[in-house]
Amino acid sequence: MQSAEDKLIAKFFKPLATHAGALGLTDDAAFITPRGNHELVVTADAIVEGKHFLSSNPPDTIGRKALRVNLSDLAAKGAEPVGFLMSIGLPQIREDWLGAFARGLMEDANTYACPLLGGDTVNTSGPLFVSITAIGDLPRGGMVKRSGAKKGDLVMLTGTIGDAAIGLALASGKIPGQWGLGRDECDHLVGRYLVPEPRNALASALRLHASAAMDVSDGLFGDLGKLCAASGVSADVEIKNVPISWAAGPALDKVPELIETMLTGGDDYEIVCTIPPDRERQFVALARDAKVDVKVVGKVVEGRKPPRFLDANGKALTVAQASFSHF
Amino acid sequence: MQSAEDKLIAKFFKPLATHAGALGLTDDAAFITPRGNHELVVTADAIVEGKHFLSSNPPDTIGRKALRVNLSDLAAKGAEPVGFLMSIGLPQIREDWLGAFARGLMEDANTYACPLLGGDTVNTSGPLFVSITAIGDLPRGGMVKRSGAKKGDLVMLTGTIGDAAIGLALASGKIPGQWGLGRDECDHLVGRYLVPEPRNALASALRLHASAAMDVSDGLFGDLGKLCAASGVSADVEIKNVPISWAAGPALDKVPELIETMLTGGDDYEIVCTIPPDRERQFVALARDAKVDVKVVGKVVEGRKPPRFLDANGKALTVAQASFSHF
């Protein structure tokens, strides 16, 4: 009596549904019992073949990316993962592909303690898509918003910026001579595009100390602009302070104009946050405990203008397009 | 500084985000503060152009259907709507289409008290898709599962069965002479396919009295089978008791074999539930208060075999395919 869809769910997705409320994916819905005095944080992001990933990408990386872009939002809001729902649109059932996809997803579900709660498996005549809703929780009133930045706060960043933008260009074969980058550099940069590193380890530190935060998914330039707009402030960032990876550094040395791509390209999934100066020391200590690099890149200033990204001469960078957009 | 996506969200979707925790869709996530001693129920369903709706369907009906198929799951589980997240994949931005889509969605969000909490708007090269996660709440431990049916319980149904299956056939132009159905009948049946009627008014009655429930989305025949399998029971249903609408009746009279399509076709979005006999009177009274028709169609019996659908001679119906499947 089982339909193709039911069989597929039982074989590939039920092993991910370790949350008691998911009922082994045998019901129409899952239940979540919130912890006392906690509230839930919910976020949804979809990825589409040919837009957010390439059909040639290893299927396990597609599963990981679909979940991680959502985990990144929970991290930025200071929430601990509870679980996720996934709707997946498949052009056909390919068991080998699904097996690898589900394996990557399961490893990440385990690593980030974010089990599958439910979802839907549908057929599509078009490109494959994965739509995930992630649910997190945190103490009531604790969600870190975009809107709390205050004049004088430090602008801080996790990890490194611009790797994924270069990685995408490399993966698309768009770079003549690969800017002289070696194999290790290329692998690292493409890897950063394929599988982002969500900063969930930093969630509680953000909750305790950040006045505002968001994850950098559409480029630092535009995303910091959104945070500033939501907070009614502006910011000055010194470009030389923006953390650049060992892999991207040589390319940037060779092609200085690359900085625009790195600051406006998408897919960093780092966190930009604002930290009151008297919290900096404690925040940095907690980040160290969490094994996440954080760095001060600028300062929140008065005003409503978009943030300025200043070069060594104090000149503000102008860009053709502030944010990455698929439309 | 606003991207095309941001503008689109602000124009079309922000008006639906009336939940305080949605922050006007200006943040990366929404927060939900659960009521004391309540738990949350989460469910996800996606609809894809060409599979779950036709590109020629009026856009407001597509928005309504995307939300209603999810509301139907909340209803069957006994949960009251809290809100929903929506990821939408658009082949292009067509403002007229989006305006009508969002209008239908907003009317239903208001009608069912289920505001938009967040989501994602992405570009796709393929068919349009709408992936919704609906969140509901109910008193802790109150979720009505598929697994609670007991021998002797009554099998009950809301509304009427088979309308959408005929409606889809009519809309697809597959029916020669439309089985002699008049214009009103055809309009009603196609309408039932386009815009299902989720039974959220019945949620609390189900919570109070149903031993098991699910919504009928892939055909009564297969869905009752799933409920029975989850409960470790079987059921006997008398086909003559299955509620048939005034519009479908004439077609069924003319083409009696149509009963198979009506019992196995998808998109009913009615609720099948099991009610202990000593609860029937109270359940029916509450259903009347909720203005939802309910009817006893059979009985839960011992055994593990698929439920039997019995004709007037007590002979069990056999079908080619128990459940609707898009794969």
PDB file of all heavy atoms in Angstrom, chain A residues 64-96:
ATOM      1  N   ARG A  64      23.722  19.551   2.849  1.00  0.00           N
ATOM      2  CA  ARG A  64      24.345  20.341   3.921  1.00  0.00           C
ATOM      3  C   ARG A  64      24.050  21.820   3.753  1.00  0.00           C
ATOM      4  O   ARG A  64      23.708  22.520   4.702  1.00  0.00           O
ATOM      5  CB  ARG A  64      25.862  20.147   3.889  1.00  0.00           C
ATOM      6  CG  ARG A  64      26.327  18.774   4.310  1.00  0.00           C
ATOM      7  CD  ARG A  64      27.863  18.709   4.283  1.00  0.00           C
ATOM      8  NE  ARG A  64      28.343  17.349   4.183  1.00  0.00           N
ATOM      9  CZ  ARG A  64      28.484  16.526   5.226  1.00  0.00           C
ATOM     10  NH1 ARG A  64      28.166  16.936   6.434  1.00  0.00           N
ATOM     11  NH2 ARG A  64      28.917  15.295   5.066  1.00  0.00           N
ATOM     12  N   LYS A  65      24.183  22.309   2.514  1.00  0.00           N
ATOM     13  CA  LYS A  65      23.994  23.744   2.297  1.00  0.00           C
ATOM     14  C   LYS A  65      22.558  24.167   2.599  1.00  0.00           C
ATOM     15  O   LYS A  65      22.328  25.199   3.226  1.00  0.00           O
ATOM     16  CB  LYS A  65      24.359  24.119   0.861  1.00  0.00           C
ATOM     17  CG  LYS A  65      24.304  25.625   0.615  1.00  0.00           C
ATOM     18  CD  LYS A  65      25.010  26.020  -0.665  1.00  0.00           C
ATOM     19  CE  LYS A  65      25.148  27.529  -0.746  1.00  0.00           C
ATOM     20  NZ  LYS A  65      26.013  27.941  -1.863  1.00  0.00           N
ATOM     21  N   ALA A  66      21.608  23.325   2.170  1.00  0.00           N
ATOM     22  CA  ALA A  66      20.194  23.653   2.399  1.00  0.00           C
ATOM     23  C   ALA A  66      19.915  23.856   3.884  1.00  0.00           C
ATOM     24  O   ALA A  66      19.193  24.770   4.281  1.00  0.00           O
ATOM     25  CB  ALA A  66      19.304  22.550   1.836  1.00  0.00           C
ATOM     26  N   LEU A  67      20.496  22.982   4.707  1.00  0.00           N
ATOM     27  CA  LEU A  67      20.276  23.097   6.155  1.00  0.00           C
ATOM     28  C   LEU A  67      21.114  24.228   6.748  1.00  0.00           C
ATOM     29  O   LEU A  67      20.630  25.016   7.571  1.00  0.00           O
ATOM     30  CB  LEU A  67      20.610  21.769   6.838  1.00  0.00           C
ATOM     31  CG  LEU A  67      20.378  21.715   8.354  1.00  0.00           C
ATOM     32  CD1 LEU A  67      18.941  22.092   8.715  1.00  0.00           C
ATOM     33  CD2 LEU A  67      20.718  20.340   8.908  1.00  0.00           C
ATOM     34  N   ARG A  68      22.351  24.331   6.323  1.00  0.00           N
ATOM     35  CA  ARG A  68      23.268  25.282   6.953  1.00  0.00           C
ATOM     36  C   ARG A  68      22.881  26.738   6.734  1.00  0.00           C
ATOM     37  O   ARG A  68      23.115  27.577   7.604  1.00  0.00           O
ATOM     38  CB  ARG A  68      24.695  25.026   6.456  1.00  0.00           C
ATOM     39  CG  ARG A  68      25.265  23.733   7.020  1.00  0.00           C
ATOM     40  CD  ARG A  68      26.680  23.488   6.525  1.00  0.00           C
ATOM     41  NE  ARG A  68      27.217  22.259   7.096  1.00  0.00           N
ATOM     42  CZ  ARG A  68      28.506  22.060   7.377  1.00  0.00           C
ATOM     43  NH1 ARG A  68      29.396  22.992   7.128  1.00  0.00           N
ATOM     44  NH2 ARG A  68      28.901  20.915   7.905  1.00  0.00           N
ATOM     45  N   VAL A  69      22.308  27.049   5.565  1.00  0.00           N
ATOM     46  CA  VAL A  69      21.907  28.446   5.352  1.00  0.00           C
ATOM     47  C   VAL A  69      20.799  28.829   6.341  1.00  0.00           C
ATOM     48  O   VAL A  69      20.687  29.994   6.726  1.00  0.00           O
ATOM     49  CB  VAL A  69      21.476  28.725   3.895  1.00  0.00           C
ATOM     50  CG1 VAL A  69      22.613  28.396   2.936  1.00  0.00           C
ATOM     51  CG2 VAL A  69      20.219  27.963   3.509  1.00  0.00           C
ATOM     52  N   ASN A  70      20.029  27.846   6.763  1.00  0.00           N
ATOM     53  CA  ASN A  70      19.003  28.103   7.776  1.00  0.00           C
ATOM     54  C   ASN A  70      19.593  28.120   9.181  1.00  0.00           C
ATOM     55  O   ASN A  70      19.224  28.960  10.016  1.00  0.00           O
ATOM     56  CB  ASN A  70      17.898  27.051   7.669  1.00  0.00           C
ATOM     57  CG  ASN A  70      16.951  27.319   6.519  1.00  0.00           C
ATOM     58  OD1 ASN A  70      16.096  28.190   6.607  1.00  0.00           O
ATOM     59  ND2 ASN A  70      17.103  26.605   5.420  1.00  0.00           N
ATOM     60  N   LEU A  71      20.508  27.199   9.464  1.00  0.00           N
ATOM     61  CA  LEU A  71      21.180  27.191  10.758  1.00  0.00           C
ATOM     62  C   LEU A  71      21.888  28.524  11.007  1.00  0.00           C
ATOM     63  O   LEU A  71      21.939  29.023  12.129  1.00  0.00           O
ATOM     64  CB  LEU A  71      22.203  26.047  10.806  1.00  0.00           C
ATOM     65  CG  LEU A  71      21.617  24.645  10.972  1.00  0.00           C
ATOM     66  CD1 LEU A  71      22.680  23.582  10.694  1.00  0.00           C
ATOM     67  CD2 LEU A  71      21.029  24.455  12.373  1.00  0.00           C
ATOM     68  N   SER A  72      22.415  29.090   9.920  1.00  0.00           N
ATOM     69  CA  SER A  72      23.121  30.360  10.022  1.00  0.00           C
ATOM     70  C   SER A  72      22.198  31.473  10.528  1.00  0.00           C
ATOM     71  O   SER A  72      22.609  32.317  11.335  1.00  0.00           O
ATOM     72  CB  SER A  72      23.698  30.712   8.654  1.00  0.00           C
ATOM     73  OG  SER A  72      24.366  31.940   8.689  1.00  0.00           O
ATOM     74  N   ASP A  73      20.954  31.460  10.081  1.00  0.00           N
ATOM     75  CA  ASP A  73      19.990  32.456  10.568  1.00  0.00           C
ATOM     76  C   ASP A  73      19.690  32.250  12.052  1.00  0.00           C
ATOM     77  O   ASP A  73      19.592  33.210  12.814  1.00  0.00           O
ATOM     78  CB  ASP A  73      18.685  32.379   9.764  1.00  0.00           C
ATOM     79  CG  ASP A  73      18.803  33.087   8.418  1.00  0.00           C
ATOM     80  OD1 ASP A  73      19.342  34.201   8.382  1.00  0.00           O
ATOM     81  OD2 ASP A  73      18.339  32.525   7.424  1.00  0.00           O
ATOM     82  N   LEU A  74      19.535  30.993  12.463  1.00  0.00           N
ATOM     83  CA  LEU A  74      19.301  30.735  13.891  1.00  0.00           C
ATOM     84  C   LEU A  74      20.489  31.239  14.714  1.00  0.00           C
ATOM     85  O   LEU A  74      20.318  31.873  15.754  1.00  0.00           O
ATOM     86  CB  LEU A  74      19.097  29.240  14.153  1.00  0.00           C
ATOM     87  CG  LEU A  74      17.843  28.584  13.582  1.00  0.00           C
ATOM     88  CD1 LEU A  74      17.770  27.127  14.048  1.00  0.00           C
ATOM     89  CD2 LEU A  74      16.572  29.326  13.994  1.00  0.00           C
ATOM     90  N   ALA A  75      21.705  30.947  14.234  1.00  0.00           N
ATOM     91  CA  ALA A  75      22.906  31.376  14.956  1.00  0.00           C
ATOM     92  C   ALA A  75      22.920  32.888  15.139  1.00  0.00           C
ATOM     93  O   ALA A  75      23.132  33.390  16.250  1.00  0.00           O
ATOM     94  CB  ALA A  75      24.151  30.920  14.201  1.00  0.00           C
ATOM     95  N   ALA A  76      22.650  33.599  14.047  1.00  0.00           N
ATOM     96  CA  ALA A  76      22.710  35.061  14.095  1.00  0.00           C
ATOM     97  C   ALA A  76      21.676  35.645  15.047  1.00  0.00           C
ATOM     98  O   ALA A  76      21.872  36.719  15.615  1.00  0.00           O
ATOM     99  CB  ALA A  76      22.527  35.637  12.695  1.00  0.00           C
ATOM    100  N   LYS A  77      20.576  34.942  15.221  1.00  0.00           N
ATOM    101  CA  LYS A  77      19.519  35.429  16.118  1.00  0.00           C
ATOM    102  C   LYS A  77      19.718  34.973  17.564  1.00  0.00           C
ATOM    103  O   LYS A  77      18.909  35.278  18.435  1.00  0.00           O
ATOM    104  CB  LYS A  77      18.141  34.963  15.610  1.00  0.00           C
ATOM    105  CG  LYS A  77      17.803  35.393  14.188  1.00  0.00           C
ATOM    106  CD  LYS A  77      17.632  36.901  14.071  1.00  0.00           C
ATOM    107  CE  LYS A  77      18.819  37.559  13.410  1.00  0.00           C
ATOM    108  NZ  LYS A  77      18.685  39.023  13.327  1.00  0.00           N
ATOM    109  N   GLY A  78      20.794  34.208  17.800  1.00  0.00           N
ATOM    110  CA  GLY A  78      21.091  33.759  19.165  1.00  0.00           C
ATOM    111  C   GLY A  78      20.304  32.537  19.599  1.00  0.00           C
ATOM    112  O   GLY A  78      20.238  32.226  20.787  1.00  0.00           O
ATOM    113  N   ALA A  79      19.703  31.813  18.635  1.00  0.00           N
ATOM    114  CA  ALA A  79      18.825  30.683  18.985  1.00  0.00           C
ATOM    115  C   ALA A  79      19.561  29.349  18.859  1.00  0.00           C
ATOM    116  O   ALA A  79      20.428  29.189  18.005  1.00  0.00           O
ATOM    117  CB  ALA A  79      17.597  30.675  18.077  1.00  0.00           C
ATOM    118  N   GLU A  80      19.208  28.404  19.708  1.00  0.00           N
ATOM    119  CA  GLU A  80      19.740  27.038  19.629  1.00  0.00           C
ATOM    120  C   GLU A  80      18.800  26.218  18.742  1.00  0.00           C
ATOM    121  O   GLU A  80      17.577  26.285  18.897  1.00  0.00           O
ATOM    122  CB  GLU A  80      19.790  26.394  21.021  1.00  0.00           C
ATOM    123  CG  GLU A  80      20.406  27.261  22.120  1.00  0.00           C
ATOM    124  CD  GLU A  80      21.882  27.552  21.906  1.00  0.00           C
ATOM    125  OE1 GLU A  80      22.528  26.784  21.178  1.00  0.00           O
ATOM    126  OE2 GLU A  80      22.365  28.557  22.467  1.00  0.00           O
ATOM    127  N   PRO A  81      19.342  25.407  17.826  1.00  0.00           N
ATOM    128  CA  PRO A  81      18.487  24.623  16.928  1.00  0.00           C
ATOM    129  C   PRO A  81      17.570  23.641  17.681  1.00  0.00           C
ATOM    130  O   PRO A  81      17.996  23.014  18.648  1.00  0.00           O
ATOM    131  CB  PRO A  81      19.498  23.835  16.082  1.00  0.00           C
ATOM    132  CG  PRO A  81      20.779  24.595  16.181  1.00  0.00           C
ATOM    133  CD  PRO A  81      20.775  25.214  17.548  1.00  0.00           C
ATOM    134  N   VAL A  82      16.332  23.545  17.232  1.00  0.00           N
ATOM    135  CA  VAL A  82      15.375  22.552  17.745  1.00  0.00           C
ATOM    136  C   VAL A  82      15.131  21.465  16.689  1.00  0.00           C
ATOM    137  O   VAL A  82      15.130  20.271  16.988  1.00  0.00           O
ATOM    138  CB  VAL A  82      14.031  23.217  18.114  1.00  0.00           C
ATOM    139  CG1 VAL A  82      12.966  22.170  18.405  1.00  0.00           C
ATOM    140  CG2 VAL A  82      14.209  24.152  19.305  1.00  0.00           C
ATOM    141  N   GLY A  83      14.944  21.878  15.453  1.00  0.00           N
ATOM    142  CA  GLY A  83      14.697  20.928  14.372  1.00  0.00           C
ATOM    143  C   GLY A  83      14.334  21.673  13.100  1.00  0.00           C
ATOM    144  O   GLY A  83      14.286  22.900  13.086  1.00  0.00           O
ATOM    145  N   PHE A  84      14.090  20.917  12.030  1.00  0.00           N
ATOM    146  CA  PHE A  84      13.747  21.562  10.759  1.00  0.00           C
ATOM    147  C   PHE A  84      12.711  20.765   9.990  1.00  0.00           C
ATOM    148  O   PHE A  84      12.546  19.562  10.188  1.00  0.00           O
ATOM    149  CB  PHE A  84      14.999  21.791   9.897  1.00  0.00           C
ATOM    150  CG  PHE A  84      15.606  20.542   9.292  1.00  0.00           C
ATOM    151  CD1 PHE A  84      15.403  20.230   7.945  1.00  0.00           C
ATOM    152  CD2 PHE A  84      16.388  19.686  10.048  1.00  0.00           C
ATOM    153  CE1 PHE A  84      15.976  19.100   7.363  1.00  0.00           C
ATOM    154  CE2 PHE A  84      16.968  18.545   9.492  1.00  0.00           C
ATOM    155  CZ  PHE A  84      16.756  18.250   8.148  1.00  0.00           C
ATOM    156  N   LEU A  85      11.987  21.469   9.135  1.00  0.00           N
ATOM    157  CA  LEU A  85      11.074  20.847   8.174  1.00  0.00           C
ATOM    158  C   LEU A  85      11.625  21.085   6.779  1.00  0.00           C
ATOM    159  O   LEU A  85      12.203  22.139   6.512  1.00  0.00           O
ATOM    160  CB  LEU A  85       9.669  21.427   8.282  1.00  0.00           C
ATOM    161  CG  LEU A  85       8.979  21.144   9.618  1.00  0.00           C
ATOM    162  CD1 LEU A  85       9.071  22.365  10.522  1.00  0.00           C
ATOM    163  CD2 LEU A  85       7.528  20.746   9.424  1.00  0.00           C
ATOM    164  N   MET A  86      11.461  20.126   5.917  1.00  0.00           N
ATOM    165  CA  MET A  86      12.028  20.223   4.576  1.00  0.00           C
ATOM    166  C   MET A  86      11.015  19.818   3.520  1.00  0.00           C
ATOM    167  O   MET A  86      10.478  18.719   3.556  1.00  0.00           O
ATOM    168  CB  MET A  86      13.239  19.301   4.464  1.00  0.00           C
ATOM    169  CG  MET A  86      13.834  19.243   3.060  1.00  0.00           C
ATOM    170  SD  MET A  86      15.347  18.268   2.962  1.00  0.00           S
ATOM    171  CE  MET A  86      14.691  16.615   3.230  1.00  0.00           C
ATOM    172  N   SER A  87      10.773  20.707   2.557  1.00  0.00           N
ATOM    173  CA  SER A  87      10.039  20.325   1.357  1.00  0.00           C
ATOM    174  C   SER A  87      11.031  20.252   0.226  1.00  0.00           C
ATOM    175  O   SER A  87      11.789  21.193  -0.011  1.00  0.00           O
ATOM    176  CB  SER A  87       8.939  21.344   1.049  1.00  0.00           C
ATOM    177  OG  SER A  87       7.894  21.219   1.991  1.00  0.00           O
ATOM    178  N   ILE A  88      11.038  19.119  -0.445  1.00  0.00           N
ATOM    179  CA  ILE A  88      11.996  18.922  -1.521  1.00  0.00           C
ATOM    180  C   ILE A  88      11.250  18.614  -2.814  1.00  0.00           C
ATOM    181  O   ILE A  88      10.319  17.804  -2.830  1.00  0.00           O
ATOM    182  CB  ILE A  88      13.029  17.829  -1.151  1.00  0.00           C
ATOM    183  CG1 ILE A  88      14.063  17.612  -2.271  1.00  0.00           C
ATOM    184  CG2 ILE A  88      12.383  16.510  -0.775  1.00  0.00           C
ATOM    185  CD1 ILE A  88      15.273  16.808  -1.822  1.00  0.00           C
ATOM    186  N   GLY A  89      11.619  19.323  -3.876  1.00  0.00           N
ATOM    187  CA  GLY A  89      11.026  19.106  -5.196  1.00  0.00           C
ATOM    188  C   GLY A  89      12.023  18.377  -6.075  1.00  0.00           C
ATOM    189  O   GLY A  89      13.105  18.895  -6.344  1.00  0.00           O
ATOM    190  N   LEU A  90      11.665  17.163  -6.484  1.00  0.00           N
ATOM    191  CA  LEU A  90      12.582  16.301  -7.234  1.00  0.00           C
ATOM    192  C   LEU A  90      12.092  16.117  -8.667  1.00  0.00           C
ATOM    193  O   LEU A  90      10.931  15.771  -8.889  1.00  0.00           O
ATOM    194  CB  LEU A  90      12.668  14.917  -6.578  1.00  0.00           C
ATOM    195  CG  LEU A  90      13.202  14.845  -5.144  1.00  0.00           C
ATOM    196  CD1 LEU A  90      12.964  13.450  -4.563  1.00  0.00           C
ATOM    197  CD2 LEU A  90      14.680  15.184  -5.115  1.00  0.00           C
ATOM    198  N   PRO A  91      12.957  16.327  -9.648  1.00  0.00           N
ATOM    199  CA  PRO A  91      12.568  16.062 -11.041  1.00  0.00           C
ATOM    200  C   PRO A  91      12.387  14.561 -11.287  1.00  0.00           C
ATOM    201  O   PRO A  91      11.588  14.155 -12.108  1.00  0.00           O
ATOM    202  CB  PRO A  91      13.736  16.598 -11.861  1.00  0.00           C
ATOM    203  CG  PRO A  91      14.581  17.400 -10.913  1.00  0.00           C
ATOM    204  CD  PRO A  91      14.320  16.883  -9.544  1.00  0.00           C
ATOM    205  N   GLN A  92      13.142  13.739 -10.546  1.00  0.00           N
ATOM    206  CA  GLN A  92      12.954  12.286 -10.631  1.00  0.00           C
ATOM    207  C   GLN A  92      13.508  11.668  -9.357  1.00  0.00           C
ATOM    208  O   GLN A  92      14.195  12.337  -8.588  1.00  0.00           O
ATOM    209  CB  GLN A  92      13.654  11.681 -11.860  1.00  0.00           C
ATOM    210  CG  GLN A  92      15.185  11.646 -11.772  1.00  0.00           C
ATOM    211  CD  GLN A  92      15.840  12.848 -12.429  1.00  0.00           C
ATOM    212  OE1 GLN A  92      15.405  13.272 -13.480  1.00  0.00           O
ATOM    213  NE2 GLN A  92      16.887  13.404 -11.811  1.00  0.00           N
ATOM    214  N   ILE A  93      13.201  10.398  -9.156  1.00  0.00           N
ATOM    215  CA  ILE A  93      13.756   9.707  -7.992  1.00  0.00           C
ATOM    216  C   ILE A  93      15.028   8.992  -8.427  1.00  0.00           C
ATOM    217  O   ILE A  93      14.980   8.037  -9.203  1.00  0.00           O
ATOM    218  CB  ILE A  93      12.737   8.705  -7.413  1.00  0.00           C
ATOM    219  CG1 ILE A  93      11.503   9.462  -6.910  1.00  0.00           C
ATOM    220  CG2 ILE A  93      13.367   7.917  -6.259  1.00  0.00           C
ATOM    221  CD1 ILE A  93      10.432   8.582  -6.327  1.00  0.00           C
ATOM    222  N   ARG A  94      16.149   9.488  -7.951  1.00  0.00           N
ATOM    223  CA  ARG A  94      17.425   8.826  -8.200  1.00  0.00           C
ATOM    224  C   ARG A  94      17.981   8.400  -6.851  1.00  0.00           C
ATOM    225  O   ARG A  94      18.432   9.225  -6.061  1.00  0.00           O
ATOM    226  CB  ARG A  94      18.399   9.776  -8.891  1.00  0.00           C
ATOM    227  CG  ARG A  94      18.172   9.883 -10.409  1.00  0.00           C
ATOM    228  CD  ARG A  94      19.138  10.867 -11.027  1.00  0.00           C
ATOM    229  NE  ARG A  94      20.486  10.704 -10.482  1.00  0.00           N
ATOM    230  CZ  ARG A  94      21.432  11.651 -10.542  1.00  0.00           C
ATOM    231  NH1 ARG A  94      21.162  12.815 -11.086  1.00  0.00           N
ATOM    232  NH2 ARG A  94      22.634  11.429 -10.042  1.00  0.00           N
ATOM    233  N   GLU A  95      17.958   7.107  -6.612  1.00  0.00           N
ATOM    234  CA  GLU A  95      18.274   6.608  -5.270  1.00  0.00           C
ATOM    235  C   GLU A  95      19.706   6.951  -4.853  1.00  0.00           C
ATOM    236  O   GLU A  95      19.961   7.247  -3.689  1.00  0.00           O
ATOM    237  CB  GLU A  95      18.032   5.097  -5.200  1.00  0.00           C
ATOM    238  CG  GLU A  95      16.579   4.718  -5.445  1.00  0.00           C
ATOM    239  CD  GLU A  95      15.976   3.927  -4.296  1.00  0.00           C
ATOM    240  OE1 GLU A  95      16.717   3.331  -3.517  1.00  0.00           O
ATOM    241  OE2 GLU A  95      14.737   3.928  -4.187  1.00  0.00           O
ATOM    242  N   ASP A  96      20.650   6.870  -5.814  1.00  0.00           N
ATOM    243  CA  ASP A  96      22.039   7.172  -5.443  1.00  0.00           C
ATOM    244  C   ASP A  96      22.176   8.630  -5.015  1.00  0.00           C
ATOM    245  O   ASP A  96      22.813   8.948  -4.020  1.00  0.00           O
ATOM    246  CB  ASP A  96      22.996   6.832  -6.603  1.00  0.00           C
ATOM    247  CG  ASP A  96      22.608   7.552  -7.899  1.00  0.00           C
ATOM    248  OD1 ASP A  96      21.436   7.984  -8.029  1.00  0.00           O
ATOM    249  OD2 ASP A  96      23.477   7.704  -8.775  1.00  0.00           O
TER     250      ASP A  96
END
